[in-house]
Amino acid sequence: MLETLQNLYLGFSVALSPVVLLYAFVGCIIGTLVGVLPGVGPLAGISLLLPVSFGLDATSAVVLLAGIYYGAMYGGSTTSILMRIPGEAASVMTCIDGYAMTRKGRGGPALAIAAVGSYIAGTASVVGLMFLAPPLARFALRFGPPEYLALLVLGLLVLAFMSGGSMLKSLSMAALGLLFGMIGIDPMTGFFRFHYGLVELGDGIGVVPVAVGLFGLSEILLTAGQEKPPEVIKPRLRELLPSRQEWRDSTWPIARGTLLGFLIGIIPGSAHIISSFVSYAVERRLSKHPERFGQGAVEGVAGPESANNSATSGAFVPMLALGVPSGPIPAVMLAAMMVHGISPGPLLIQQQPELFWGFIASMYVGNVVLLILNLPLVGLFVNVLRIPYPLLYPAILVFCVLGVYAVNGSVVDVGIMSAMGALGYGLRKFDFETAPIVLGLVLAPMIEMSFRQSLSMSSGSYTIFFHRPISLVLLLVALGFILLSLRTLFTKVAEWRRKLGLEGEAETKEPGNV
Amino acid sequence: MKKTNCARGPISRRRRSIGMQLVLALMILPLAMAPSAFGQERFPDRTITMVAPFPPGGVADLTARPVAAAMERILKSPVVVVNKTGAAGAVGMSYVANSKPDGYTVLMALSSISIIPEADKLFDRKPAYTMDQLLPIALISADPTVFVVNAERPWKSVKEFVAEAKKRPGEISFSSSGVYGTLHMATEMLAHAAGIKLKHIPYGGAGPALTAILGGHVDTLASGPAVVIPHIKSGKLRPLAGWGAKRVASLPDLATFKELGYDIEFYIWAGVFAPRGTSQPVLKKLRDTARQAVNDPEFKSAMEKLQTPVAYMDAPEFQKFWDKDAKMLADAIKRMGKIEIKEAK
C-alpha cells in the first residue's frame, strides 16, 4: 500500500511535469474532437495520431494516445445526445434516451450527466487499474473462446431487456443485425460470404457506418418528412444543469455502469463495445419505471456513458500488466511503445516504473482535464440546437459522410451508411427499434468466431462449454436470465387469463342484467 | 462551436492528418509535410504515397513509417504513409496494383502478398490482384518466425514435441493470425516437414493469437521474435526453434529448424513494390532511394528499436527471393487445399 502511494507519487511527478501534462491535455482535446465527429471513433483517432507520437518520448506518446482514447469516450456522447448521431459505436445506446431528453429540452443536463458519469467512471476505474492490475490481468487471460462465447451469449440475452416495445419486433431486428454480421470472410475457412464482388465487404460490414446510418440519417430523413419543421429548442442557462432528481436518479446507474464497464473492459477482445448495451439493459431491468426508457430517462444516459468510460481503463489492465494486446486499441498503444524501444511485457511495471505510474497518474489528471473541458462546453454545444434545421441538417449530413469515409477511406462505407439510413427510415416508420440491429451486428462476428474456435479446440464436442468453470458459471447466469424472463412471461399469461376470465364473467353477467 | 470544430474535420485521410497536425503544429514539426519546391520535370515533383495495407501499429505500418521518413529526407520531397486496410491486406494491395504506374503510389507489402492470389485461385474467386501486376523495388526486412510453446506444456525440444504430436495426431493446437495468414503458413510448413498433424485455431490477428497462447488456450504459436521475447524472458513461453537460415540474434541459443534437420525456412518479410508499367527511370530512382534509405542512420535506429533485422535486397535479387518464397507458399496452399474439405473427411 505504502509502496503504491510512493509509486503514485513518482507517477504524479511524471504526469504533472509540464511536457507530459501538455500531451495529456492535447490528447484529451483531440479525443473530444474525435469523439464528437460522427463516425470517427477512438481507434481511428489513435491510428491517425500514432505516427505523430513517434516523435515524442515513450511516456508522452502513451499519455497522448490514452488521452485520445478516453477523450473520445467523453466526446462520443455529445452528438448522440444532441443529434442522435453516435460519435462512435459505444455511444449507440446514449442516442436513445439522450436524444429523447434533448427533445424535451433537457439536452444540457444529459450532457452534464454524461460528463460527470464519465469522470467518476474514469477515475474509479483507474483506482481499480492501479491496485488490481496484475491479478485481474491474469484472470482476464483465462478468458478463452468458450468463456468469451458464454459472455457473448449473456450479451445476446440482454437484447430481450433492451427495448420497451414489442419483443417480437426487437428480436427480429436483432436477427437482422446478426445476419448482417454474417457478411465477410469466413474466419475458419477463408471463404468470402455475401461479398458480391466487393473486396471491401471481405471484412464484413463496419459497425460505424451502420450505426450512423440507422440512427443519424434516419432521424434526418424522418424530420425532413414532417409537415411542420420541428421547433428550434432555445436552451436557457439555468436549464443546463441537472435537477436534484436527475442527480439522484443517476447515482446508482453511474456506480453500476462503472463496475460493469471495468469488468467487461478487462476481458481481452472487443467485448468492451457491449458494455454500454449491457449497462442500458441492466438499468432498464432494475428501474421501477422501465416505461420511461426511450422517453428520456436520465438513467439511460448515466449508465452506458459510465460503462463505456470505465471499459477503456479496464482494457488497459492486461495491456499494462502483462503486455498483452488485449484489443485493437491496446494493440496500437503497444506498437507505440515498441517504436520507442520498450518491449511491452509482464516486466513493464518493474522495468519502466516512470512509464507505468506516469501513465496511471496521467489518467487521473486527464479525467479532471476532461471534466473541466467538457462541463463548460455543454453550454456551447447545446447552442448548436439554435441553428435552424434547414441549415443544421444538411451540415450534419455532410459531417456524417465525411466521418464515415475518413475511417477507412472507403466509398463502400458511405454506401453502406446511406443504405442503412434508408433502411432505418423505413423501419422507424413502422415502429421498429434499430438499436438491436447494431448490437446484433457487433455480436455476430464475435459469437461466430468464439463458437467455432471453441469447437475446434474440443474437436467438435459441445461439452467444452460446461467443463470450463468460467464459461459454466456464465452460462448458468444466462440460464437464470432466461428463467427469470420466462417467469414474467408466465405471470403475464396468468394475469391475461385472469383478466380474460373477469371479462368473461362480466359478459355473462350482462345479459342477465338486461 | 460544433461547426468550427468540424471545419477542421476530415476531407481525406491525408488532409485530416494535416488538420490534426495543425492542432499539434508547434510540437510535431518533423512530420509536417511542406511541399517541396523542386523542379517540375524530375521525379518526384509531388507527394509519393506509400500504401500500408494493414492498420497502424502492424509490421507493415511500423516498417513503412521509417522507410518513408528516410526516403523523404533523401528525395527532399514528401513521402506519406497511407493505411488502406481490409480483407487481410487485399484492399490495399489491389489498390496499388491498379493505380497509375507513375511511381507516386508505392506499396509496403508483407509475405502475405503471395498468399492472397493463391487463396483466390483456390476458391475460384475473381482475384483481387495478381502478383505480376506489381514490381519489386526493394526488400527491407525479413524476420524469421520462431516456434514457441506455452511454458506449462512439457515439451523442451522440437524432438519431444514432434514425438508427442505423432502419438496424438490432431490434438496439439496452435493459434494463428487468421486462416491462410503468415503465421498459419509457418506452422503448416512445420507440420508438413515433420509429418505431424496439428489442430488449427485461427484468431483475428497476431495480437489475439498471442493472447491465446499466453492464456493457455492453445499449445503452440509461430510468431515474429520481437513480440514473444518479453514473454520468453518472463517464463510464460518457451521457444523451441526458429525458421531462419541463421539463428535469431536476440535468441542466440535457439536452434534453427534447418540445424535440426527440417528443411524449412520462413520469414515475415516487408518489401516495397510499385505497379507494373512504371517507367525505368522512375523505378531506378525509387531503387536508389530505397538503397540509401536502408543505410540512413535514423532508419537503422528505428528498426533496431523495433528489434526487426534489416535485410536489404535490390530489385533483381528481391525478385528471385520473392519468386522462391511465393512458390513455396503456393505449394503449401495447394497442399493444404480448402480447409472445409479437409475437415469434412
Side-chain angles (χ1 to χ4, degrees):
Chain A
M1 185 70 191
L2 190 68
E3 200 187 349
T4 308
L5 287 179
Q6 271 171 356
N7 284 327
L8 198 61
Y9 177 73
L10 168 76
F12 271 106
S13 67
V14 174
L16 292 176
S17 69
V19 178
V20 176
L21 196 61
L22 179 70
Y23 284 112
F25 191 68
V26 170
C28 289
I29 292 177
I30 296 175
T32 307
L33 293 181
V34 158
V36 166
L37 280 175
V40 187
L43 182 60
I46 286 188
S47 304
L48 285 169
L49 266 285
L50 176 68
V52 174
S53 76
F54 292 171
L56 312 174
D57 67 283
T59 309
S60 304
V62 171
V63 164
L64 174 75
L65 295 178
I68 297 172
Y69 188 10
Y70 52 77
M73 290 299 174
Y74 271 75
S77 54
T78 310
T79 44
S80 314
I81 290 172
L82 295 179
M83 285 161 245
R84 212 174 188 270
I85 296 172
E88 25 88 28
S91 30
V92 163
M93 289 322 286
T94 316
C95 285
I96 297 174
D97 280 283
Y99 186 68
M101 283 180 77
T102 299
R103 299 294 331 147
K104 282 160 62 183
R106 304 297 292 163
L111 285 175
I113 290 277
V116 172
S118 297
Y119 169 73
I120 293 171
T123 308
S125 56
V126 177
V127 176
L129 173 61
M130 187 169 80
F131 287 106
L132 302 171
L136 269 185
R138 275 191 291 277
F139 175 75
L141 271 192
R142 291 177 57 193
F143 267 77
E147 288 79 13
Y148 209 61
L149 180 78
L151 180 78
L152 294 171
V153 166
L154 263 179
L156 200 59
L157 282 176
V158 155
L159 279 168
F161 305 121
M162 215 159 84
S163 82
S166 142
M167 176 84 89
L168 181 69
K169 277 184 171 174
S170 65
L171 287 184
S172 59
M173 286 302 98
L176 186 64
L178 290 169
L179 282 177
F180 283 145
M182 293 287 109
I183 296 170
I185 297 179
D186 180 320
M188 303 309 261
T189 67
F191 263 112
F192 276 55
R193 296 181 301 213
F194 312 113
H195 66 114
Y196 302 106
L198 288 173
V199 187
E200 284 85 352
L201 285 184
D203 282 338
I205 296 188
V207 178
V208 168
V210 172
V212 174
L214 284 178
F215 282 82
L217 288 195
S218 71
E219 180 67 26
I220 292 172
L221 291 174
L222 282 175
T223 314
Q226 286 172 6
E227 280 177 30
K228 268 191 293 178
E231 278 175 56
V232 172
I233 307 157
K234 293 229 169 77
R236 276 184 301 258
L237 194 64
R238 62 188 165 77
E239 281 176 9
L240 287 182
L241 288 177
S243 67
R244 196 173 284 251
Q245 183 62 38
E246 280 166 331
W247 282 123
R248 212 175 302 140
D249 287 344
S250 311
T251 315
W252 281 107
I254 288 175
R256 282 189 291 259
T258 302
L259 187 67
L260 199 72
F262 188 70
L263 292 178
I264 294 178
I266 58 170
I267 296 162
S270 300
H272 61 268
I273 301 177
I274 69 170
S275 66
S276 53
F277 289 92
V278 175
S279 164
Y280 185 86
V282 166
E283 292 314 324
R284 195 174 172 279
R285 180 83 193 148
L286 292 177
S287 171
K288 289 197 185 79
H289 306 284
E291 71 283 351
R292 279 176 49 239
F293 278 73
Q295 313 297 324
V298 71
E299 299 94 312
V301 174
E305 276 304 309
S306 313
N308 71 31
N309 256 67
S310 65
T312 59
S313 314
F316 291 135
V317 168
M319 174 192 118
L320 289 172
L322 301 177
V324 171
S326 47
I329 290 169
V332 175
M333 296 190 53
L334 288 184
M337 289 189 209
M338 288 179 73
V339 167
H340 290 97
I342 296 170
S343 344
L347 305 174
L348 181 82
I349 302 179
Q350 282 112 58
Q351 286 172 350
Q352 303 280 342
E354 303 90 29
L355 179 82
F356 178 80
W357 291 102
F359 177 70
I360 296 264
S362 87
M363 285 176 76
Y364 284 111
V365 177
N367 273 295
V368 176
V369 168
L370 280 168
L371 191 67
I372 297 172
L373 199 71
N374 273 276
L375 279 184
L377 281 183
V378 167
L380 220 55
F381 281 137
V382 165
N383 277 312
V384 172
L385 298 174
R386 289 176 189 269
I387 303 172
Y389 285 93
L391 299 177
L392 180 63
Y393 276 13
I396 294 177
L397 212 57
V398 170
F399 290 128
C400 287
V401 172
L402 291 179
V404 165
Y405 175 77
V407 174
N408 288 324
S410 154
V411 183
V412 176
D413 280 351
V414 178
I416 293 173
M417 177 188 77
S418 313
M420 288 298 158
L423 179 70
Y425 174 78
L427 290 174
R428 287 177 63 194
K429 278 273 181 197
F430 290 102
D431 265 343
F432 283 92
E433 284 181 51
T434 47
I437 301 183
V438 179
L439 183 58
L441 179 66
V442 168
L443 286 177
M446 295 198 274
I447 288 183
E448 184 193 2
M449 187 89 174
S450 55
F451 182 62
R452 297 178 71 181
Q453 281 171 335
S454 306
L455 288 184
S456 293
M457 284 169 76
S458 66
S459 304
S461 163
Y462 288 86
T463 51
I464 186 167
F465 299 111
F466 310 110
H467 284 165
R468 299 170 59 117
I470 300 176
S471 84
L472 180 67
V473 169
L474 287 173
L475 285 175
L476 285 178
V477 173
L479 187 71
F481 269 138
I482 295 178
L483 292 178
L484 221 73
S485 60
L486 280 184
R487 204 192 65 183
T488 50
L489 199 68
F490 281 131
T491 49
K492 257 188 198 161
V493 168
E495 215 169 88
W496 178 67
R497 278 199 174 153
R498 210 165 44 238
K499 228 163 70 187
L500 209 67
L502 279 174
E503 272 168 16
E505 274 171 47
E507 266 172 63
T508 45
K509 269 178 194 170
E510 263 174 42
N513 283 349
V514 170
Chain B
M1 178 59 199
K2 164 86 181 144
K3 278 191 127 177
T4 46
N5 280 344
C6 296
R8 287 190 223 121
I11 289 166
S12 74
R13 250 166 181 272
R14 195 182 315 151
R15 287 251 191 102
R16 192 176 45 168
S17 74
I18 291 177
M20 293 285 193
Q21 279 159 4
L22 277 178
V23 181
L24 297 171
L26 286 173
M27 295 161 296
I28 307 111
L29 276 177
L31 274 152
M33 0 156 167
S36 98
F38 272 75
Q40 294 295 305
E41 67 283 356
R42 62 175 214 112
F43 174 86
D45 63 355
R46 55 191 165 92
T47 305
I48 296 178
T49 305
M50 183 177 280
V51 173
F54 296 95
V59 180
D61 179 70
L62 291 181
T63 313
R65 304 262 168 208
V67 173
M71 285 176 71
E72 190 167 303
R73 280 192 291 274
I74 294 156
L75 292 168
K76 301 201 170 48
S77 168
V79 182
V80 186
V81 177
V82 173
N83 303 87
K84 251 189 147 21
T85 60
V91 171
M93 291 192 254
S94 78
Y95 172 80
V96 177
N98 295 308
S99 62
K100 203 174 156 200
D102 53 7
Y104 289 101
T105 313
V106 293
L107 172 71
M108 175 63 77
L110 306 183
S111 336
S112 57
I113 191 173
S114 328
I115 297 176
I116 291 169
E118 280 304 320
D120 281 340
K121 244 188 255 172
L122 188 67
F123 289 107
D124 270 337
R125 279 197 289 259
K126 189 174 137 275
Y129 64 93
T130 52
M131 278 182 266
D132 58 16
Q133 281 182 291
L134 291 159
L135 286 175
I137 303 285
L139 179 72
I140 303 295
S141 71
D143 213 6
T145 44
V146 293
F147 188 59
V148 292
V149 300
N150 186 302
E152 282 164 26
R153 305 297 185 267
W155 321 299
K156 300 272 189 285
S157 66
V158 174
K159 207 175 144 198
E160 283 175 37
F161 166 75
V162 170
E164 173 99 6
K166 280 195 170 147
K167 252 186 268 164
R168 302 194 285 134
E171 282 184 35
I172 298 176
S173 59
F174 69 100
S175 57
S176 80
S177 53
V179 63
Y180 300 115
T182 41
L183 305 185
H184 180 195
M185 287 295 154
T187 313
E188 279 294 345
M189 277 179 197
L190 167 65
H192 179 72
I196 53 176
K197 206 166 168 297
L198 300 171
K199 192 193 304 184
H200 180 208
I201 318 282
Y203 280 79
L210 174 66
T211 311
I213 188 173
L214 287 171
H217 306 292
V218 295
D219 304 314
T220 70
L221 171 70
S223 165
V227 290
V228 285
I229 283 173
H231 302 286
I232 291 172
K233 281 188 186 148
S234 75
K236 294 278 175 218
L237 299 176
R238 184 185 311 124
L240 295 189
W243 263 271
K246 284 183 296 197
R247 293 187 174 201
V248 178
S250 40
L251 295 167
D253 299 331
L254 187 65
T256 66
F257 279 115
K258 287 213 150 170
E259 288 174 44
L260 296 171
Y262 299 96
D263 187 24
I264 45 174
E265 236 181 281
F266 191 85
Y267 300 90
I268 299 175
W269 53 259
V272 183
F273 293 80
R276 181 169 292 273
T278 310
S279 69
Q280 278 307 323
V282 169
L283 277 180
K284 186 169 181 308
K285 182 87 187 175
L286 286 172
R287 278 167 59 188
D288 290 347
T289 315
R291 184 183 311 119
Q292 288 170 47
V294 292
N295 288 314
D296 180 275
E298 272 182 55
F299 168 78
K300 279 185 176 166
S301 92
M303 295 301 275
E304 221 162 86
K305 280 184 185 163
L306 288 172
Q307 301 178 26
T308 305
V310 177
Y312 170 74
M313 276 186 197
D314 193 17
E317 228 186 322
F318 180 26
Q319 177 79 59
K320 272 184 219 147
F321 173 85
W322 185 30
D323 288 345
K324 197 177 147 213
D325 195 67
K327 188 175 176 309
M328 184 183 74
L329 287 168
D331 288 347
I333 291 173
K334 280 183 199 126
R335 207 165 52 224
M336 282 153 62
K338 285 188 203 175
I339 284 166
E340 225 178 34
I341 294 167
K342 265 176 74 178
E343 279 178 354
K345 271 177 193 169

